Amino acid sequence: MTTVTASPTASARVAVLRAEARLFLREPGTLFWVLGFPPLLLAILGLVPAFREADDGLGGLRPIDVYVPVTVLVAVIVVGAQAMPPLLAGYRERGILRRMSTTPMRPSALLAAQMWLHGAAALVSAALSLAVGRLCYDVGLPDHALGYALTLLLAVAAALALGALLGARVRTARVATAVGSAVFFPMLFSTGLWMPVRSMPDVMAAVVERTPFGAAARALDQAQAGGWPDAAHLAVVAGWAALLTVAAVRWFRWE
Amino acid sequence: MTTHGMAGASEPVVEVSELRKSYGGRNVVDGVSFSVDEGEIFGILGPNGAGKTTTVECLEGLRVPDSGRVRVAGLDPRADHDAVTRVLGAQLQESELQPKLTVREALELYASLYPSPLDWRPLAERLGLTGKLTTRFSGLSGGQKQRLFIALALVGAPRVVVLDELTTGLDPRARRDTWELIEDVRAGGVTVLLVTHFMEEAQRLCDRIAVIDGGRVTALDTPSGLVARMARSTVISFTPSTPLDDEELSALPALASVERRDGRITLGGTDETVNAVVSLLARRRITAHQLRVTDATLDEAFLDLTAARD
């Protein structure tokens, strides 16, 4: 029973992470929308013949090439706007955070565990989308892997902070779901899901490129094409990530 | 009855003095003081909204007192929060677990949070949870959830355990089993702080009881002490063969109440009243049909103590 090697706190953190990981795997809805839906969406789009033909409007790229980064970001946004807020609001609403704060473990361990799990799921989903693109539709892997990875990590950080902030501010899981959906669709739009950001009218593109996932979409495009993403795009994503993190820390309510 | 409060050298394990806490201008806790000795089962009894839960939440470190001093094993629940969580086990009045967490996972998880936990298996068995280990929290009945929370409060091997509304939602059988468990826990040296509004429970389990009403301690005594301090600790009822008039009755010593109903007289008073009634009846050669002398219950003492305010 008693652990010997690790300090009680470290082993306790592992126990919390393990328990939350089991719970994460028991949420078929989250698993589907984060891990299944985005790669599936990409696979289905690729079945449309027009998506596999080079398009001059896209600088000679095929639509399917452009949609790989979009589906990568869809998973990231599902995590931040759909999966995390109701979960965290529910943990507070049900007194789970409160119960944990009467033990030697801080309730923040639950929050941290959920952020790791959701972040990891978003990254796995990104890998799946890249694999579907590469294996099914011959979309090249990102030419600038480091720039791509950095952008993706910043976008995930922004999404996790957004999830924590929404989960912090709304009173109940039910409201969290509603608020999450309200930000979900504008964010999906900003990634270029309906219209690639590069094809948007100038004013719209200028606005979208100042949103966290619009800027991330542009940065991923650039890294995909082989360049280091524009510092301006990275700065926008990093700025949002920092702002949302500060806000989530400042306003998180444990009960 | 043991002589708690006279333990001498040992420090009280729980200390609350002049605790105050208000919400929105309302003094929910308004100068509560008491101390609990090691190994004691101490009851906090009071009507809903009396400030019982707020008081124990200050001990658990969940609330910050406006003023006053609160100590658990000599530690401040806010400043020494980590240390307090290791010695204090809590069963909260309203809290849940992750809906899809199973009973076994909950026990394993909470055991792993403490430096030297109890083996959760015998604990689960004692609480009748062995058959439910693979059941998810959302699939448990109210009573099973309650028993799981009791197990989680004990699994860290605490010195003090705070049980808030312990047996709410339990059926009579489970309630009695739980009471036995609490007595075992105390026999193991754990101090128990029991928040309740259930008299039978307080009378059966507690060494001492603080009655809290309107944010104040209105009485603090042993259960029998609380009953004895009532003006009407004894109730005498009978149907006299010849009517007795009010004057004769009101002359009785230590008389607290008189009630007449269908020729039956019910008197509240003390032992002294009983003796006086018996001699009055003998003197007047009155036969008392169905003469009953009963002790007042803690229920009645409680109503006395909490109604006095209104």
Side-chain angles (χ1 to χ4, degrees):
Chain A
M1 275 297 280
T2 49
T3 44
V4 272
T5 46
S7 73
T9 314
S11 67
R13 281 184 185 281
V14 171
V16 171
L17 184 61
R18 194 188 303 131
E20 293 301 310
R22 282 197 184 125
L23 294 172
F24 189 82
L25 295 175
R26 285 175 199 160
E27 292 299 336
T30 300
L31 290 176
F32 172 74
W33 287 106
V34 177
L35 293 172
F37 171 70
L40 199 62
L41 177 68
L42 186 66
I44 291 168
L45 290 175
L47 293 176
V48 180
F51 272 69
R52 299 195 302 269
E53 282 160 21
D55 182 344
D56 290 342
L58 297 172
L61 290 171
R62 300 168 301 162
I64 192 71
D65 298 318
V66 176
Y67 270 95
V68 174
V70 169
T71 50
V72 162
L73 287 175
V74 167
V76 174
I77 294 169
V78 169
V79 158
Q82 299 280 68
M84 278 183 69
L87 182 102
L88 297 181
Y91 273 22
R92 187 184 51 246
E93 188 186 359
R94 293 167 188 275
I96 294 166
L97 298 175
R98 220 166 116 74
R99 180 65 189 82
M100 179 111 335
S101 66
T102 67
T103 74
M105 181 57 64
R106 292 294 167 93
S108 58
L110 285 173
L111 186 60
Q114 285 297 340
M115 290 178 93
W116 281 112
L117 292 165
H118 280 85
L123 294 177
V124 168
S125 177
L128 289 174
S129 288
L130 287 170
V132 166
R134 177 77 190 82
L135 299 175
C136 304
Y137 303 115
D138 203 30
V139 179
L141 292 177
D143 281 345
H144 201 298
L146 187 64
Y148 202 91
L150 177 67
T151 306
L152 186 55
L153 288 176
L154 286 173
V156 168
L160 294 178
L162 173 75
L165 178 63
L166 294 181
R169 293 315 297 168
V170 297
R171 219 167 273 284
T172 66
R174 192 186 281 264
V175 177
T177 304
V179 174
S181 296
V183 298
F184 182 60
F185 291 101
M187 284 181 170
L188 284 187
F189 180 83
S190 77
T191 65
L193 182 60
W194 286 278
M195 178 195 295
V197 180
R198 67 175 85 193
S199 314
M200 288 177 185
D202 286 351
V203 177
M204 187 189 283
V207 172
V208 163
E209 284 177 7
R210 282 170 179 76
T211 65
F213 301 108
R218 292 294 290 134
L220 290 180
D221 272 350
Q222 291 168 340
Q224 175 75 30
W228 183 252
D230 280 358
H233 295 320
L234 286 177
V236 168
V237 188
W240 275 105
L243 189 74
L244 291 167
T245 303
V246 168
V249 169
R250 169 75 181 75
W251 284 308
F252 201 85
R253 288 183 312 196
W254 299 103
E255 53 181 76
Chain B
M1 206 44 62
T2 46
T3 55
H4 293 285
M6 286 181 253
S10 73
E11 289 266 302
V13 69
V14 171
E15 248 188 293
V16 175
S17 88
E18 286 300 308
L19 176 66
R20 282 170 215 280
K21 179 79 188 171
S22 62
Y23 299 115
R26 198 171 79 86
N27 297 327
V28 177
V29 178
D30 193 11
V32 164
S33 303
F34 61 85
S35 64
V36 184
D37 292 320
E38 189 108 48
E40 198 173 11
I41 300 182
F42 188 89
I44 296 180
L45 195 63
N48 292 335
K52 306 184 298 283
T53 294
T54 304
T55 300
V56 296
E57 283 177 343
C58 290
L59 287 167
E60 291 159 343
L62 291 172
R63 302 214 180 275
V64 192
D66 292 343
S67 69
R69 191 181 135 92
V70 174
R71 291 290 179 275
V72 177
L75 302 161
D76 179 342
R78 294 303 290 190
D80 312 308
H81 185 257
D82 284 355
V84 167
T85 59
R86 279 183 220 115
V87 295
L88 184 137
Q91 176 236 327
L92 306 182
Q93 195 182 351
E94 277 173 11
S95 79
E96 291 182 52
L97 293 177
Q98 296 88 325
K100 294 184 180 177
L101 196 68
T102 68
V103 169
R104 171 197 288 273
E105 287 163 355
L107 289 163
E108 282 176 348
L109 173 63
Y110 276 77
S112 71
L113 304 181
Y114 293 89
S116 43
L118 300 177
D119 183 353
W120 57 264
R121 279 159 245 265
L123 193 59
E125 177 149 16
R126 190 74 178 80
L127 282 157
L129 291 168
T130 308
K132 291 284 164 192
L133 290 178
T134 56
T135 306
R136 292 177 178 184
F137 181 78
S138 57
L140 297 175
S141 70
Q144 288 160 349
K145 286 178 181 173
Q146 193 73 348
R147 281 183 274 148
L148 176 57
F149 279 121
I150 296 168
L152 296 184
L154 295 171
V155 78
R159 271 179 74 191
V160 184
V161 62
V162 177
L163 303 169
D164 197 347
E165 301 294 351
L166 172 72
T167 56
T168 303
L170 297 189
D171 61 44
R173 176 61 191 274
R175 183 175 288 152
R176 268 158 215 287
D177 289 349
T178 307
W179 290 348
E180 276 176 31
L181 174 82
I182 298 309
E183 283 167 339
D184 286 358
V185 165
R186 187 264 291 278
V190 178
T191 306
V192 180
L193 198 58
L194 196 66
V195 177
T196 185
H197 57 233
F198 190 34
M199 303 305 143
E200 197 189 348
E201 181 168 291
Q203 190 150 22
R204 156 84 188 264
L205 286 177
C206 297
D207 299 311
R208 288 189 304 146
I209 294 169
V211 178
I212 295 190
D213 193 24
R216 296 168 178 278
V217 176
T218 53
L220 200 167
D221 208 332
T222 60
S224 53
L226 287 179
V227 174
R229 73 163 65 189
M230 289 174 65
R232 30 183 251 121
S233 62
T234 304
V235 177
I236 310 132
S237 61
F238 56 95
T239 309
S241 52
T242 334
L244 281 164
D245 59 36
D246 280 341
E247 251 170 73
E248 281 171 297
L249 291 177
S250 56
L252 291 168
L255 185 75
S257 64
V258 179
E259 229 179 277
R260 289 172 185 273
R261 196 181 206 175
D262 303 334
R264 190 163 178 82
I265 297 173
T266 304
L267 305 172
T270 64
D271 279 352
E272 210 185 334
T273 324
V274 180
N275 291 328
V277 169
V278 171
S279 46
L280 171 68
L281 294 172
R283 207 165 55 239
R284 293 276 318 272
R285 297 180 188 282
I286 294 172
T287 311
H289 296 289
Q290 290 180 303
L291 174 64
R292 301 276 183 277
V293 180
T294 52
D295 282 342
T297 60
L298 188 57
D299 259 311
E300 290 161 309
F302 175 75
L303 290 174
D304 251 26
L305 286 164
T306 54
R309 234 169 22 99
D310 300 330

